[in-house]
Amino acid sequence: MLRIHFTDADLARTRCAGSPNALWEITASLHRFQTRKGRWAYAEWHRATRVRLEEKGLGRVLREILLPVFPRASYFPDFLTPPESMEGLDAGLEAVLATPPRQVLAEVAQLDRLVGAPSWAPRLAERETREELVRAIRAYHGAAVAPYEEQMQARLEAERAMRCRALLDGGVEGMLTGLGPTMRRRRSVLHVDFPSSDRDLHLNGRGLTLVPSYFCWHTPTTLADPRLPPVLVYPLHHEAPAPRPDSPGPPGTWGERLSDSPAGPAGSPASLTGLLGRARAGVLCAAAVGATNAEIARAVGISAPSASRYATALRSAGLITSNRCGATVLHTLTPTGAAVLRAGRRAAEPGRGRPPGQGG
């Protein structure tokens, strides 16, 4: 169990990361290779990434370099996920290279004592060896993480929308309360399930950065050194895989239209209405800012059950994603859905879609 102790100042300085943290995602994705837990949620990624790694000649790098220093265990070195990684992959890798040799040796020794380290690990104190490790991490990122960045960003934005709603409804305490089933807030302490350790983390006015992670599964994680800027990396919710595109869809999917009227709901371009039908176009527009079934129903002028049905159709088509937020479900756009909406709005702009020479 990890107990994170907040003061009033810490609550005011708690924030949620705005983009996926590449080094934490690299770490969590490497952990996915070391267990079958949650494999169903990453089955497509696991198959495709295995193929890409072998095609790029990174199989040995994965087995002999990366997995040994990123173990799925009670400890792995903090210098591999430095605070600078919040600023992006390049900044994080520069920080890895700039880590003082004394810190590297201390953390490698702790890895060896608690988990077991490869025989070559002490050489990471030498810059040349860390440069080799950084090249391996960058190559792995290109094969295993970068192809999923849009999907990861969409899921993170959906999570941020839910955290924002919780913040507006219940303040920072409300935002912390709904982080997931493995985390429970009791007064000024956030209790986090940590199967292999029992410790207290006192924030002491530094605040906490919440880092939603696509590849983190079930159990949150954090830095081992309590002196480092506090972060809590926690898993995004994963639903069961969607049905195949050729499988029967729910009532009211692509084949039917609610209305043949060319005019859609407020904010819904006529081009989208023509493509999706009035109701689906309205649902897509409402989901652009995050909306529940009840909010969609009010915006589009349909019943809540109909809103749920049309949202299901758009989710099956890959245009929206849905995540539970307390007793409700929040719908937000996927990158594909956002692209469709942008294209529809561009097509509705004056002068768009006319043959050359016929501009207004």
Side-chain angles (χ1 to χ4, degrees), residues 265-276:
S268 175
S271 56
L272 278 184
T273 302
L275 174 66
L276 304 177

Side-chain angles (χ1 to χ4, degrees), residues 50-128:
R50 280 285 191 185
V51 171
R52 279 195 295 271
L53 289 172
E54 292 299 333
E55 288 176 346
K56 294 177 180 294
L58 295 173
R60 186 191 66 82
V61 170
L62 174 69
R63 293 186 297 271
E64 298 182 11
I65 299 178
L66 297 178
L67 294 182
V69 295
F70 288 91
R72 181 179 174 271
S74 59
Y75 177 82
F76 57 87
D78 283 336
F79 80 88
L80 297 174
T81 50
E84 291 83 355
S85 64
M86 302 296 294
E87 302 170 15
L89 177 64
D90 291 339
L93 293 179
E94 283 298 323
V96 171
L97 288 175
T99 307
R102 179 178 297 180
Q103 178 185 342
V104 174
L105 287 174
E107 294 184 3
V108 166
Q110 188 169 356
L111 174 66
D112 192 43
R113 183 171 64 254
L114 297 177
V115 181
S119 59
W120 53 265
R123 296 205 306 274
L124 287 170
E126 304 167 4
R127 185 177 175 88
E128 288 184 1

Side-chain angles (χ1 to χ4, degrees), residues 247-294:
S247 63
T253 53
W254 293 100
E256 65 172 359
R257 300 250 178 102
L258 181 69
S259 168
D260 290 328
S261 168
S268 175
S271 56
L272 278 184
T273 302
L275 174 66
L276 304 177
R278 177 182 179 277
R280 295 183 195 86
V283 172
L284 193 70
C285 289
V289 293
T292 64
N293 289 329

